[in-house]
Structure formats: structure tokens, C-alpha cells
Amino acid sequence: MYNNKVLWKWPAEGKVTRHFSVKENGYKGLEISNKPGTSVKAAAGGVVIYAGSALRGYGNLIILKHTDDYLSAYAHNAKLLVREQQKVKVGEKIAEMGSTDASKTALRFEIRFKGQAVNPAKYLP
């Protein structure tokens, strides 16, 4: 699991309503809009390293570790379906889409490489 070849899949069905921006205060992920309760799935296999709502601005958040270099984050969920230290497979349902700490129902999806936000669109099929 911890090599640097990660096979990514889309984490949710819906419309991309915000795109990644390289600007200093730009959006550091993709916003995928759909209706409340839409399945949020692990974009790649990994281990849940965070599941909670303590990070301001992200609502109910899940962070998965895929390799020593890659993490993915899933924010604004209505309901979290995994717990910390749980192993998940690519495509496994981990949450339900919601609008916690957000103005509309959408998933904020981020990929981080060595701690830096990268454009998820470059990794997704």
C-alpha cells in the first residue's frame, strides 16, 4: 500500500463547481456538488488518519493516508462512516455528502503530496 504509485478514482458523483487554484488564497481542491446524502468514496485505498470536525472551515472531515507522500481529504460531509485507523479500499463508501461548515451541499476533495496541495484533476481518471 505504501508505494508512491496511487491509482486514483473520483470520490463522488456530481458536478465540479470549483476548481483548484494556485493563487496564494486560492481553492486547494475540487468542489463536487450533488444532493445531500450522495455517497463519498475513498479515491484510493489507505488508512483513515483523521475523522472529525475540529478543523475550522472543513466541517465533518476525513483524511486518508495512501502512501508516505500522499494524503486525500474529504470535507463538508453530513455523516462520517469510518473511524481513525480504519483501512479502506478504493471506492469504499466513507461518508455522505453534506454542507457542514459550507454554504451548499458539496464535497471538498483535496490531494496532498508531501504536505502540499496538488491539483486533484491531474490525478483523477
Side-chain angles (χ1 to χ4, degrees), residues 42-78:
V47 177
V48 180
I49 59 167
Y50 181 82
S53 59
L55 273 163
R56 263 188 58 206
Y58 286 85
N60 289 329
L61 172 68
I62 293 170
I63 300 174
L64 299 180
K65 179 177 180 171
H66 304 289
T67 68
D68 287 338
D69 293 331
Y70 282 103
L71 301 174
S72 60
Y74 310 77
H76 309 306
N77 301 293

PDB file of all heavy atoms in Angstrom, residues 42-78:
ATOM      1  N   ALA A  42     -13.725   6.539  -0.971  1.00  0.00           N
ATOM      2  CA  ALA A  42     -12.272   6.667  -0.917  1.00  0.00           C
ATOM      3  C   ALA A  42     -11.744   6.736  -2.351  1.00  0.00           C
ATOM      4  O   ALA A  42     -12.018   5.852  -3.160  1.00  0.00           O
ATOM      5  CB  ALA A  42     -11.660   5.482  -0.185  1.00  0.00           C
ATOM      6  N   ALA A  43     -10.980   7.783  -2.665  1.00  0.00           N
ATOM      7  CA  ALA A  43     -10.441   7.962  -4.018  1.00  0.00           C
ATOM      8  C   ALA A  43      -9.293   7.002  -4.291  1.00  0.00           C
ATOM      9  O   ALA A  43      -8.912   6.773  -5.427  1.00  0.00           O
ATOM     10  CB  ALA A  43      -9.992   9.401  -4.223  1.00  0.00           C
ATOM     11  N   ALA A  44      -8.739   6.428  -3.211  1.00  0.00           N
ATOM     12  CA  ALA A  44      -7.692   5.414  -3.310  1.00  0.00           C
ATOM     13  C   ALA A  44      -7.672   4.669  -1.977  1.00  0.00           C
ATOM     14  O   ALA A  44      -8.164   5.175  -0.971  1.00  0.00           O
ATOM     15  CB  ALA A  44      -6.333   6.057  -3.591  1.00  0.00           C
ATOM     16  N   GLY A  45      -7.116   3.468  -1.992  1.00  0.00           N
ATOM     17  CA  GLY A  45      -7.026   2.708  -0.751  1.00  0.00           C
ATOM     18  C   GLY A  45      -6.086   3.367   0.239  1.00  0.00           C
ATOM     19  O   GLY A  45      -5.143   4.064  -0.159  1.00  0.00           O
ATOM     20  N   GLY A  46      -6.342   3.168   1.529  1.00  0.00           N
ATOM     21  CA  GLY A  46      -5.459   3.762   2.524  1.00  0.00           C
ATOM     22  C   GLY A  46      -5.971   3.556   3.932  1.00  0.00           C
ATOM     23  O   GLY A  46      -6.797   2.687   4.182  1.00  0.00           O
ATOM     24  N   VAL A  47      -5.475   4.382   4.844  1.00  0.00           N
ATOM     25  CA  VAL A  47      -5.828   4.315   6.253  1.00  0.00           C
ATOM     26  C   VAL A  47      -6.385   5.672   6.677  1.00  0.00           C
ATOM     27  O   VAL A  47      -5.840   6.717   6.313  1.00  0.00           O
ATOM     28  CB  VAL A  47      -4.591   3.961   7.121  1.00  0.00           C
ATOM     29  CG1 VAL A  47      -4.938   3.969   8.605  1.00  0.00           C
ATOM     30  CG2 VAL A  47      -4.026   2.616   6.713  1.00  0.00           C
ATOM     31  N   VAL A  48      -7.476   5.644   7.444  1.00  0.00           N
ATOM     32  CA  VAL A  48      -8.077   6.872   7.959  1.00  0.00           C
ATOM     33  C   VAL A  48      -7.161   7.427   9.054  1.00  0.00           C
ATOM     34  O   VAL A  48      -6.943   6.774  10.069  1.00  0.00           O
ATOM     35  CB  VAL A  48      -9.479   6.610   8.546  1.00  0.00           C
ATOM     36  CG1 VAL A  48     -10.091   7.902   9.091  1.00  0.00           C
ATOM     37  CG2 VAL A  48     -10.392   5.968   7.498  1.00  0.00           C
ATOM     38  N   ILE A  49      -6.592   8.626   8.832  1.00  0.00           N
ATOM     39  CA  ILE A  49      -5.748   9.218   9.870  1.00  0.00           C
ATOM     40  C   ILE A  49      -6.471  10.331  10.618  1.00  0.00           C
ATOM     41  O   ILE A  49      -6.015  10.779  11.662  1.00  0.00           O
ATOM     42  CB  ILE A  49      -4.383   9.717   9.327  1.00  0.00           C
ATOM     43  CG1 ILE A  49      -4.556  10.758   8.230  1.00  0.00           C
ATOM     44  CG2 ILE A  49      -3.545   8.534   8.841  1.00  0.00           C
ATOM     45  CD1 ILE A  49      -3.267  11.500   7.899  1.00  0.00           C
ATOM     46  N   TYR A  50      -7.625  10.774  10.071  1.00  0.00           N
ATOM     47  CA  TYR A  50      -8.429  11.756  10.783  1.00  0.00           C
ATOM     48  C   TYR A  50      -9.888  11.594  10.374  1.00  0.00           C
ATOM     49  O   TYR A  50     -10.185  11.435   9.190  1.00  0.00           O
ATOM     50  CB  TYR A  50      -7.971  13.194  10.469  1.00  0.00           C
ATOM     51  CG  TYR A  50      -8.789  14.222  11.220  1.00  0.00           C
ATOM     52  CD1 TYR A  50      -8.503  14.540  12.549  1.00  0.00           C
ATOM     53  CD2 TYR A  50      -9.878  14.848  10.619  1.00  0.00           C
ATOM     54  CE1 TYR A  50      -9.280  15.439  13.250  1.00  0.00           C
ATOM     55  CE2 TYR A  50     -10.657  15.756  11.322  1.00  0.00           C
ATOM     56  CZ  TYR A  50     -10.355  16.051  12.634  1.00  0.00           C
ATOM     57  OH  TYR A  50     -11.137  16.934  13.336  1.00  0.00           O
ATOM     58  N   ALA A  51     -10.781  11.634  11.347  1.00  0.00           N
ATOM     59  CA  ALA A  51     -12.226  11.630  11.089  1.00  0.00           C
ATOM     60  C   ALA A  51     -12.855  12.464  12.194  1.00  0.00           C
ATOM     61  O   ALA A  51     -12.885  12.043  13.345  1.00  0.00           O
ATOM     62  CB  ALA A  51     -12.775  10.210  11.084  1.00  0.00           C
ATOM     63  N   GLY A  52     -13.295  13.662  11.849  1.00  0.00           N
ATOM     64  CA  GLY A  52     -13.881  14.519  12.869  1.00  0.00           C
ATOM     65  C   GLY A  52     -14.244  15.885  12.318  1.00  0.00           C
ATOM     66  O   GLY A  52     -14.300  16.086  11.111  1.00  0.00           O
ATOM     67  N   SER A  53     -14.451  16.844  13.236  1.00  0.00           N
ATOM     68  CA  SER A  53     -14.903  18.169  12.806  1.00  0.00           C
ATOM     69  C   SER A  53     -14.141  19.295  13.505  1.00  0.00           C
ATOM     70  O   SER A  53     -14.654  20.392  13.673  1.00  0.00           O
ATOM     71  CB  SER A  53     -16.399  18.319  13.075  1.00  0.00           C
ATOM     72  OG  SER A  53     -16.649  18.134  14.462  1.00  0.00           O
ATOM     73  N   ALA A  54     -12.896  19.037  13.914  1.00  0.00           N
ATOM     74  CA  ALA A  54     -12.128  20.039  14.661  1.00  0.00           C
ATOM     75  C   ALA A  54     -11.421  21.074  13.792  1.00  0.00           C
ATOM     76  O   ALA A  54     -11.000  22.106  14.295  1.00  0.00           O
ATOM     77  CB  ALA A  54     -11.115  19.345  15.579  1.00  0.00           C
ATOM     78  N   LEU A  55     -11.276  20.813  12.489  1.00  0.00           N
ATOM     79  CA  LEU A  55     -10.591  21.777  11.613  1.00  0.00           C
ATOM     80  C   LEU A  55     -11.593  22.778  11.057  1.00  0.00           C
ATOM     81  O   LEU A  55     -12.462  22.415  10.270  1.00  0.00           O
ATOM     82  CB  LEU A  55      -9.899  21.048  10.450  1.00  0.00           C
ATOM     83  CG  LEU A  55      -8.494  20.556  10.738  1.00  0.00           C
ATOM     84  CD1 LEU A  55      -8.066  19.525   9.709  1.00  0.00           C
ATOM     85  CD2 LEU A  55      -7.518  21.713  10.739  1.00  0.00           C
ATOM     86  N   ARG A  56     -11.460  24.034  11.475  1.00  0.00           N
ATOM     87  CA  ARG A  56     -12.418  25.059  11.048  1.00  0.00           C
ATOM     88  C   ARG A  56     -12.434  25.216   9.539  1.00  0.00           C
ATOM     89  O   ARG A  56     -11.409  25.203   8.895  1.00  0.00           O
ATOM     90  CB  ARG A  56     -12.070  26.401  11.697  1.00  0.00           C
ATOM     91  CG  ARG A  56     -12.894  26.649  12.939  1.00  0.00           C
ATOM     92  CD  ARG A  56     -12.723  28.030  13.519  1.00  0.00           C
ATOM     93  NE  ARG A  56     -13.061  29.075  12.557  1.00  0.00           N
ATOM     94  CZ  ARG A  56     -12.555  30.292  12.614  1.00  0.00           C
ATOM     95  NH1 ARG A  56     -11.698  30.627  13.548  1.00  0.00           N
ATOM     96  NH2 ARG A  56     -12.914  31.203  11.730  1.00  0.00           N
ATOM     97  N   GLY A  57     -13.648  25.352   9.007  1.00  0.00           N
ATOM     98  CA  GLY A  57     -13.798  25.578   7.579  1.00  0.00           C
ATOM     99  C   GLY A  57     -13.950  24.302   6.762  1.00  0.00           C
ATOM    100  O   GLY A  57     -14.234  24.363   5.579  1.00  0.00           O
ATOM    101  N   TYR A  58     -13.762  23.152   7.400  1.00  0.00           N
ATOM    102  CA  TYR A  58     -13.856  21.881   6.677  1.00  0.00           C
ATOM    103  C   TYR A  58     -15.052  21.031   7.093  1.00  0.00           C
ATOM    104  O   TYR A  58     -15.327  20.011   6.481  1.00  0.00           O
ATOM    105  CB  TYR A  58     -12.569  21.059   6.854  1.00  0.00           C
ATOM    106  CG  TYR A  58     -11.410  21.596   6.052  1.00  0.00           C
ATOM    107  CD1 TYR A  58     -10.601  22.612   6.552  1.00  0.00           C
ATOM    108  CD2 TYR A  58     -11.125  21.094   4.785  1.00  0.00           C
ATOM    109  CE1 TYR A  58      -9.535  23.118   5.808  1.00  0.00           C
ATOM    110  CE2 TYR A  58     -10.059  21.589   4.040  1.00  0.00           C
ATOM    111  CZ  TYR A  58      -9.275  22.601   4.564  1.00  0.00           C
ATOM    112  OH  TYR A  58      -8.230  23.092   3.826  1.00  0.00           O
ATOM    113  N   GLY A  59     -15.763  21.434   8.153  1.00  0.00           N
ATOM    114  CA  GLY A  59     -16.914  20.659   8.600  1.00  0.00           C
ATOM    115  C   GLY A  59     -16.499  19.263   9.016  1.00  0.00           C
ATOM    116  O   GLY A  59     -15.419  19.055   9.562  1.00  0.00           O
ATOM    117  N   ASN A  60     -17.373  18.296   8.748  1.00  0.00           N
ATOM    118  CA  ASN A  60     -17.054  16.890   9.038  1.00  0.00           C
ATOM    119  C   ASN A  60     -16.050  16.414   7.999  1.00  0.00           C
ATOM    120  O   ASN A  60     -16.369  16.310   6.821  1.00  0.00           O
ATOM    121  CB  ASN A  60     -18.314  16.020   8.998  1.00  0.00           C
ATOM    122  CG  ASN A  60     -19.224  16.298  10.181  1.00  0.00           C
ATOM    123  OD1 ASN A  60     -18.769  16.644  11.262  1.00  0.00           O
ATOM    124  ND2 ASN A  60     -20.517  16.149   9.969  1.00  0.00           N
ATOM    125  N   LEU A  61     -14.842  16.121   8.464  1.00  0.00           N
ATOM    126  CA  LEU A  61     -13.698  15.885   7.581  1.00  0.00           C
ATOM    127  C   LEU A  61     -13.110  14.490   7.780  1.00  0.00           C
ATOM    128  O   LEU A  61     -13.015  14.009   8.908  1.00  0.00           O
ATOM    129  CB  LEU A  61     -12.620  16.937   7.900  1.00  0.00           C
ATOM    130  CG  LEU A  61     -11.250  16.799   7.236  1.00  0.00           C
ATOM    131  CD1 LEU A  61     -11.344  17.054   5.736  1.00  0.00           C
ATOM    132  CD2 LEU A  61     -10.274  17.780   7.875  1.00  0.00           C
ATOM    133  N   ILE A  62     -12.706  13.889   6.670  1.00  0.00           N
ATOM    134  CA  ILE A  62     -11.962  12.630   6.699  1.00  0.00           C
ATOM    135  C   ILE A  62     -10.651  12.866   5.951  1.00  0.00           C
ATOM    136  O   ILE A  62     -10.648  13.468   4.866  1.00  0.00           O
ATOM    137  CB  ILE A  62     -12.746  11.493   6.011  1.00  0.00           C
ATOM    138  CG1 ILE A  62     -13.992  11.150   6.827  1.00  0.00           C
ATOM    139  CG2 ILE A  62     -11.866  10.245   5.823  1.00  0.00           C
ATOM    140  CD1 ILE A  62     -14.954  10.224   6.118  1.00  0.00           C
ATOM    141  N   ILE A  63      -9.545  12.403   6.547  1.00  0.00           N
ATOM    142  CA  ILE A  63      -8.255  12.441   5.857  1.00  0.00           C
ATOM    143  C   ILE A  63      -7.741  11.009   5.773  1.00  0.00           C
ATOM    144  O   ILE A  63      -7.694  10.298   6.778  1.00  0.00           O
ATOM    145  CB  ILE A  63      -7.226  13.333   6.589  1.00  0.00           C
ATOM    146  CG1 ILE A  63      -7.738  14.777   6.681  1.00  0.00           C
ATOM    147  CG2 ILE A  63      -5.867  13.285   5.860  1.00  0.00           C
ATOM    148  CD1 ILE A  63      -6.863  15.697   7.519  1.00  0.00           C
ATOM    149  N   LEU A  64      -7.381  10.604   4.549  1.00  0.00           N
ATOM    150  CA  LEU A  64      -6.824   9.270   4.317  1.00  0.00           C
ATOM    151  C   LEU A  64      -5.349   9.392   3.968  1.00  0.00           C
ATOM    152  O   LEU A  64      -4.952  10.287   3.214  1.00  0.00           O
ATOM    153  CB  LEU A  64      -7.541   8.576   3.151  1.00  0.00           C
ATOM    154  CG  LEU A  64      -9.036   8.321   3.276  1.00  0.00           C
ATOM    155  CD1 LEU A  64      -9.549   7.618   2.023  1.00  0.00           C
ATOM    156  CD2 LEU A  64      -9.352   7.511   4.513  1.00  0.00           C
ATOM    157  N   LYS A  65      -4.552   8.468   4.509  1.00  0.00           N
ATOM    158  CA  LYS A  65      -3.140   8.357   4.132  1.00  0.00           C
ATOM    159  C   LYS A  65      -3.031   7.194   3.156  1.00  0.00           C
ATOM    160  O   LYS A  65      -3.465   6.080   3.451  1.00  0.00           O
ATOM    161  CB  LYS A  65      -2.267   8.094   5.360  1.00  0.00           C
ATOM    162  CG  LYS A  65      -0.795   7.949   5.014  1.00  0.00           C
ATOM    163  CD  LYS A  65       0.062   7.774   6.251  1.00  0.00           C
ATOM    164  CE  LYS A  65       1.526   7.642   5.848  1.00  0.00           C
ATOM    165  NZ  LYS A  65       2.417   7.693   7.007  1.00  0.00           N
ATOM    166  N   HIS A  66      -2.447   7.476   1.987  1.00  0.00           N
ATOM    167  CA  HIS A  66      -2.331   6.443   0.944  1.00  0.00           C
ATOM    168  C   HIS A  66      -0.919   5.896   0.857  1.00  0.00           C
ATOM    169  O   HIS A  66      -0.717   4.704   0.652  1.00  0.00           O
ATOM    170  CB  HIS A  66      -2.766   7.011  -0.404  1.00  0.00           C
ATOM    171  CG  HIS A  66      -4.144   7.581  -0.355  1.00  0.00           C
ATOM    172  ND1 HIS A  66      -5.264   6.795  -0.239  1.00  0.00           N
ATOM    173  CD2 HIS A  66      -4.579   8.861  -0.354  1.00  0.00           C
ATOM    174  CE1 HIS A  66      -6.337   7.571  -0.184  1.00  0.00           C
ATOM    175  NE2 HIS A  66      -5.944   8.829  -0.243  1.00  0.00           N
ATOM    176  N   THR A  67       0.056   6.787   0.956  1.00  0.00           N
ATOM    177  CA  THR A  67       1.471   6.401   0.922  1.00  0.00           C
ATOM    178  C   THR A  67       2.186   7.343   1.884  1.00  0.00           C
ATOM    179  O   THR A  67       1.552   8.206   2.490  1.00  0.00           O
ATOM    180  CB  THR A  67       2.084   6.586  -0.491  1.00  0.00           C
ATOM    181  OG1 THR A  67       2.136   7.983  -0.788  1.00  0.00           O
ATOM    182  CG2 THR A  67       1.302   5.838  -1.560  1.00  0.00           C
ATOM    183  N   ASP A  68       3.494   7.221   1.994  1.00  0.00           N
ATOM    184  CA  ASP A  68       4.239   8.145   2.837  1.00  0.00           C
ATOM    185  C   ASP A  68       4.133   9.575   2.298  1.00  0.00           C
ATOM    186  O   ASP A  68       4.320  10.532   3.044  1.00  0.00           O
ATOM    187  CB  ASP A  68       5.714   7.735   2.932  1.00  0.00           C
ATOM    188  CG  ASP A  68       5.890   6.499   3.818  1.00  0.00           C
ATOM    189  OD1 ASP A  68       5.002   6.222   4.652  1.00  0.00           O
ATOM    190  OD2 ASP A  68       6.911   5.810   3.649  1.00  0.00           O
ATOM    191  N   ASP A  69       3.845   9.731   1.012  1.00  0.00           N
ATOM    192  CA  ASP A  69       3.796  11.055   0.394  1.00  0.00           C
ATOM    193  C   ASP A  69       2.391  11.577   0.123  1.00  0.00           C
ATOM    194  O   ASP A  69       2.194  12.786   0.025  1.00  0.00           O
ATOM    195  CB  ASP A  69       4.563  11.048  -0.934  1.00  0.00           C
ATOM    196  CG  ASP A  69       6.057  10.847  -0.737  1.00  0.00           C
ATOM    197  OD1 ASP A  69       6.578  11.252   0.314  1.00  0.00           O
ATOM    198  OD2 ASP A  69       6.696  10.278  -1.645  1.00  0.00           O
ATOM    199  N   TYR A  70       1.411  10.690  -0.051  1.00  0.00           N
ATOM    200  CA  TYR A  70       0.076  11.122  -0.475  1.00  0.00           C
ATOM    201  C   TYR A  70      -0.990  10.991   0.608  1.00  0.00           C
ATOM    202  O   TYR A  70      -1.128   9.950   1.246  1.00  0.00           O
ATOM    203  CB  TYR A  70      -0.392  10.307  -1.689  1.00  0.00           C
ATOM    204  CG  TYR A  70       0.233  10.746  -2.986  1.00  0.00           C
ATOM    205  CD1 TYR A  70       1.257  10.011  -3.563  1.00  0.00           C
ATOM    206  CD2 TYR A  70      -0.213  11.893  -3.646  1.00  0.00           C
ATOM    207  CE1 TYR A  70       1.840  10.410  -4.761  1.00  0.00           C
ATOM    208  CE2 TYR A  70       0.369  12.289  -4.849  1.00  0.00           C
ATOM    209  CZ  TYR A  70       1.380  11.547  -5.400  1.00  0.00           C
ATOM    210  OH  TYR A  70       1.953  11.942  -6.581  1.00  0.00           O
ATOM    211  N   LEU A  71      -1.772  12.087   0.747  1.00  0.00           N
ATOM    212  CA  LEU A  71      -2.963  12.118   1.593  1.00  0.00           C
ATOM    213  C   LEU A  71      -4.115  12.609   0.734  1.00  0.00           C
ATOM    214  O   LEU A  71      -3.904  13.340  -0.237  1.00  0.00           O
ATOM    215  CB  LEU A  71      -2.807  13.126   2.746  1.00  0.00           C
ATOM    216  CG  LEU A  71      -1.680  12.972   3.741  1.00  0.00           C
ATOM    217  CD1 LEU A  71      -1.672  14.176   4.693  1.00  0.00           C
ATOM    218  CD2 LEU A  71      -1.853  11.698   4.538  1.00  0.00           C
ATOM    219  N   SER A  72      -5.338  12.244   1.114  1.00  0.00           N
ATOM    220  CA  SER A  72      -6.502  12.875   0.484  1.00  0.00           C
ATOM    221  C   SER A  72      -7.454  13.309   1.588  1.00  0.00           C
ATOM    222  O   SER A  72      -7.498  12.705   2.666  1.00  0.00           O
ATOM    223  CB  SER A  72      -7.194  11.939  -0.517  1.00  0.00           C
ATOM    224  OG  SER A  72      -7.642  10.755   0.099  1.00  0.00           O
ATOM    225  N   ALA A  73      -8.189  14.399   1.318  1.00  0.00           N
ATOM    226  CA  ALA A  73      -9.106  14.963   2.303  1.00  0.00           C
ATOM    227  C   ALA A  73     -10.493  15.108   1.687  1.00  0.00           C
ATOM    228  O   ALA A  73     -10.633  15.443   0.505  1.00  0.00           O
ATOM    229  CB  ALA A  73      -8.601  16.320   2.775  1.00  0.00           C
ATOM    230  N   TYR A  74     -11.504  14.851   2.516  1.00  0.00           N
ATOM    231  CA  TYR A  74     -12.915  14.852   2.102  1.00  0.00           C
ATOM    232  C   TYR A  74     -13.667  15.703   3.121  1.00  0.00           C
ATOM    233  O   TYR A  74     -13.849  15.276   4.263  1.00  0.00           O
ATOM    234  CB  TYR A  74     -13.465  13.418   2.104  1.00  0.00           C
ATOM    235  CG  TYR A  74     -12.583  12.442   1.352  1.00  0.00           C
ATOM    236  CD1 TYR A  74     -11.408  11.950   1.926  1.00  0.00           C
ATOM    237  CD2 TYR A  74     -12.905  12.029   0.069  1.00  0.00           C
ATOM    238  CE1 TYR A  74     -10.578  11.074   1.235  1.00  0.00           C
ATOM    239  CE2 TYR A  74     -12.078  11.145  -0.627  1.00  0.00           C
ATOM    240  CZ  TYR A  74     -10.915  10.677  -0.042  1.00  0.00           C
ATOM    241  OH  TYR A  74     -10.094   9.815  -0.726  1.00  0.00           O
ATOM    242  N   ALA A  75     -14.104  16.907   2.724  1.00  0.00           N
ATOM    243  CA  ALA A  75     -14.672  17.844   3.692  1.00  0.00           C
ATOM    244  C   ALA A  75     -16.154  18.125   3.451  1.00  0.00           C
ATOM    245  O   ALA A  75     -16.677  17.877   2.364  1.00  0.00           O
ATOM    246  CB  ALA A  75     -13.896  19.152   3.648  1.00  0.00           C
ATOM    247  N   HIS A  76     -16.803  18.671   4.473  1.00  0.00           N
ATOM    248  CA  HIS A  76     -18.201  19.125   4.487  1.00  0.00           C
ATOM    249  C   HIS A  76     -19.215  17.984   4.473  1.00  0.00           C
ATOM    250  O   HIS A  76     -20.357  18.173   4.066  1.00  0.00           O
ATOM    251  CB  HIS A  76     -18.501  20.095   3.318  1.00  0.00           C
ATOM    252  CG  HIS A  76     -17.536  21.224   3.217  1.00  0.00           C
ATOM    253  ND1 HIS A  76     -17.246  22.066   4.274  1.00  0.00           N
ATOM    254  CD2 HIS A  76     -16.762  21.662   2.189  1.00  0.00           C
ATOM    255  CE1 HIS A  76     -16.367  22.962   3.894  1.00  0.00           C
ATOM    256  NE2 HIS A  76     -16.028  22.741   2.642  1.00  0.00           N
ATOM    257  N   ASN A  77     -18.819  16.795   4.933  1.00  0.00           N
ATOM    258  CA  ASN A  77     -19.724  15.649   4.912  1.00  0.00           C
ATOM    259  C   ASN A  77     -20.853  15.787   5.927  1.00  0.00           C
ATOM    260  O   ASN A  77     -20.677  16.371   6.992  1.00  0.00           O
ATOM    261  CB  ASN A  77     -18.934  14.370   5.220  1.00  0.00           C
ATOM    262  CG  ASN A  77     -17.833  14.150   4.210  1.00  0.00           C
ATOM    263  OD1 ASN A  77     -18.093  13.895   3.052  1.00  0.00           O
ATOM    264  ND2 ASN A  77     -16.594  14.274   4.651  1.00  0.00           N
ATOM    265  N   ALA A  78     -22.010  15.205   5.575  1.00  0.00           N
ATOM    266  CA  ALA A  78     -23.147  15.189   6.506  1.00  0.00           C
ATOM    267  C   ALA A  78     -22.900  14.126   7.576  1.00  0.00           C
ATOM    268  O   ALA A  78     -23.207  14.314   8.745  1.00  0.00           O
ATOM    269  CB  ALA A  78     -24.444  14.888   5.755  1.00  0.00           C
TER     270      ALA A  78
END
